[in-house]
Amino acid sequence: SRQLVAYALQMAMRCVAADTGRSLSCVLRRCVSTAYRDVESLVSAVRGSFGEERNAHGFVGVGQYYNHDELTRIVLLRLGDNWTPLRDTAPQEIADFATDQFGIRDIVDKLQHICHSVLTGELDCIQNSDWKFGFVAKPDFSIFSRRGLILQTKSYFTGPRFHLKWNETEQTCRLDDVKSVSVHVSDEPWEDRRLVLELENGKHITVLETTDEHTLDQTVLDPPLARLMMSTEWLVKAGAHLCLALSRHALFSNRSVLLLPQVLREEGNVWVQMRNRAWAQGVASQVPVED
């Protein structure tokens, strides 16, 4: 169901079940990072950066596959004072740290009193690597890079539209015109990746494209399919959230599907199979049982 898919995506931000975690930990290097456990001191530093006007939009982003038993990598960004669609406003990085799940909730709660709004989502950084892209999952879906917004949903009298900006090209498309969302990767070693919208008229719109810059140590991470699964994790999640945004906002209950290449599906990648099993176990352990 749609609710179960949405819950699975939320769970994916927070945990990987023990079996996959153990499997991956044997091929990942241990990351060293300072954990900010004193939330008050961190919030005080953020308040100094944001000022007292409460007109800034804050973003709390979760990284991918931070190799620690209890901590998760979090990046705090300032997304401008009036982050309007396609405005050339580069995100400002405020803090990059590790904390536990209780710390994340505490930070979000306290930032509500500092920022005009607090947005939450995920970044494409893996372990301690730099991030290039991020998406806002709540309250409204959008995608951004270090340069600014790439995709945002806007409402019009004629219906909601995606505003897109990529490679200096700006365009819009009606959500009801989107037929599918797809993730593309080049041939092995799968270095080039794209997120694409296919419209009902057959037109394809590239949302973003990127090249894997070997952020994971290939001498440590083996086999290559495991590395591929991890390095495309954010991109697959972004595509899934795009489908959820389409199902929520399209006037005619858009039924867009997420299309993945075989190397990113269970039948073509055993690591994806383990990852999906972990997500399902996490959902099963967290979804409340109705009377």
Side-chain angles (χ1 to χ4, degrees), residues 44-141:
S44 177
V46 173
R47 183 179 288 109
S49 299
F50 277 51
E52 300 296 334
E53 293 82 5
R54 290 192 61 188
N55 62 350
H57 299 276
F59 173 80
V60 180
V62 179
Q64 311 297 314
Y65 289 104
Y66 189 72
N67 190 33
H68 193 282
D69 294 337
E70 298 178 356
L71 304 180
T72 300
R73 181 179 174 185
I74 300 296
V75 179
L76 299 185
L77 303 175
R78 177 174 179 161
L79 299 183
D81 297 336
N82 184 23
W83 216 41
T84 54
L86 306 182
R87 179 179 176 182
D88 293 325
T89 302
Q92 176 187 354
E93 190 167 309
I94 303 300
D96 185 340
F97 59 98
T99 187
D100 58 24
Q101 297 303 320
F102 296 101
I104 296 173
R105 290 193 290 268
D106 200 9
I107 290 167
V108 171
D109 290 341
K110 287 181 168 55
L111 287 180
Q112 301 283 356
H113 303 287
I114 301 175
C115 308
H116 175 74
S117 66
V118 179
L119 314 174
T120 59
E122 300 194 33
L123 298 169
D124 65 343
C125 52
I126 300 173
Q127 301 189 66
N128 284 337
S129 69
D130 292 333
W131 67 271
K132 295 191 295 183
F133 299 100
F135 65 74
V136 175
K138 294 181 179 180
D140 294 310
F141 181 75

Side-chain angles (χ1 to χ4, degrees), residues 11-286:
M11 286 301 303
M13 294 171 60
R14 298 186 298 206
C15 70
V16 174
D19 60 344
T20 302
R22 284 193 295 267
S23 299
L24 293 176
S25 65
C26 66
V27 293
L28 293 175
R29 69 181 184 272
R30 174 66 63 175
C31 293
V32 179
S33 179
T34 302
Y36 282 76
R37 296 185 182 276
D38 187 350
V39 175
E40 291 296 339
S41 64
L42 176 62
V43 170
S44 177
V46 173
R47 183 179 288 109
S49 299
F50 277 51
E52 300 296 334
E53 293 82 5
R54 290 192 61 188
N55 62 350
H57 299 276
F59 173 80
V60 180
V62 179
Q64 311 297 314
Y65 289 104
Y66 189 72
N67 190 33
H68 193 282
D69 294 337
E70 298 178 356
L71 304 180
T72 300
R73 181 179 174 185
I74 300 296
V75 179
L76 299 185
L77 303 175
R78 177 174 179 161
L79 299 183
D81 297 336
N82 184 23
W83 216 41
T84 54
L86 306 182
R87 179 179 176 182
D88 293 325
T89 302
Q92 176 187 354
E93 190 167 309
I94 303 300
D96 185 340
F97 59 98
T99 187
D100 58 24
Q101 297 303 320
F102 296 101
I104 296 173
R105 290 193 290 268
D106 200 9
I107 290 167
V108 171
D109 290 341
K110 287 181 168 55
L111 287 180
Q112 301 283 356
H113 303 287
I114 301 175
C115 308
H116 175 74
S117 66
V118 179
L119 314 174
T120 59
E122 300 194 33
L123 298 169
D124 65 343
C125 52
I126 300 173
Q127 301 189 66
N128 284 337
S129 69
D130 292 333
W131 67 271
K132 295 191 295 183
F133 299 100
F135 65 74
V136 175
K138 294 181 179 180
D140 294 310
F141 181 75
S142 59
I143 299 176
F144 60 90
S145 69
R146 284 188 173 273
R147 297 181 61 184
L149 274 170
I150 294 175
L151 177 147
Q152 190 176 54
T153 307
K154 290 291 290 181
S155 297
Y156 292 89
F157 179 75
T158 55
R161 287 177 173 267
F162 282 143
H163 282 249
L164 303 106
K165 181 176 182 180
W166 184 250
N167 287 340
E168 308 304 325
T169 299
E170 299 184 15
Q171 56 187 315
T172 67
C173 71
R174 296 174 63 248
L175 269 65
D176 287 302
D177 291 338
V178 178
K179 179 180 179 180
S180 66
V181 179
S182 56
V183 174
H184 297 254
V185 297
S186 58
D187 294 336
E188 191 173 356
W190 315 295
E191 292 181 334
D192 300 323
R193 295 93 185 269
R194 291 188 300 144
L195 183 62
V196 177
L197 300 178
E198 181 185 2
L199 306 186
E200 293 288 353
N201 62 8
K203 179 181 178 181
H204 290 79
I205 298 177
T206 297
V207 178
L208 66 89
E209 53 186 324
T210 184
T211 300
D212 180 32
E213 297 178 349
H214 306 294
T215 54
L216 299 175
D217 188 346
Q218 294 187 71
T219 63
V220 176
L221 185 58
D222 184 61
L225 283 174
R227 184 179 185 279
L228 174 67
M229 184 272 292
M230 295 179 66
S231 61
T232 57
E233 183 87 350
W234 178 89
L235 196 61
V236 171
K237 291 180 183 177
H241 275 282
L242 254 178
C243 289
L244 288 174
L246 287 164
S247 66
R248 292 192 189 107
H249 296 292
L251 292 177
F252 302 107
S253 299
N254 190 294
R255 299 294 182 183
S256 296
V257 295
L258 177 62
L259 304 177
L260 300 175
Q262 185 173 6
V263 289
L264 295 180
R265 301 197 303 266
E266 288 191 6
E267 62 269 26
N269 190 329
V270 66
W271 293 86
V272 171
Q273 185 181 62
M274 288 193 294
R275 189 266 320 271
N276 291 350
R277 187 190 308 130
W279 286 1
Q281 290 174 351
V283 170
S285 65
Q286 295 293 328

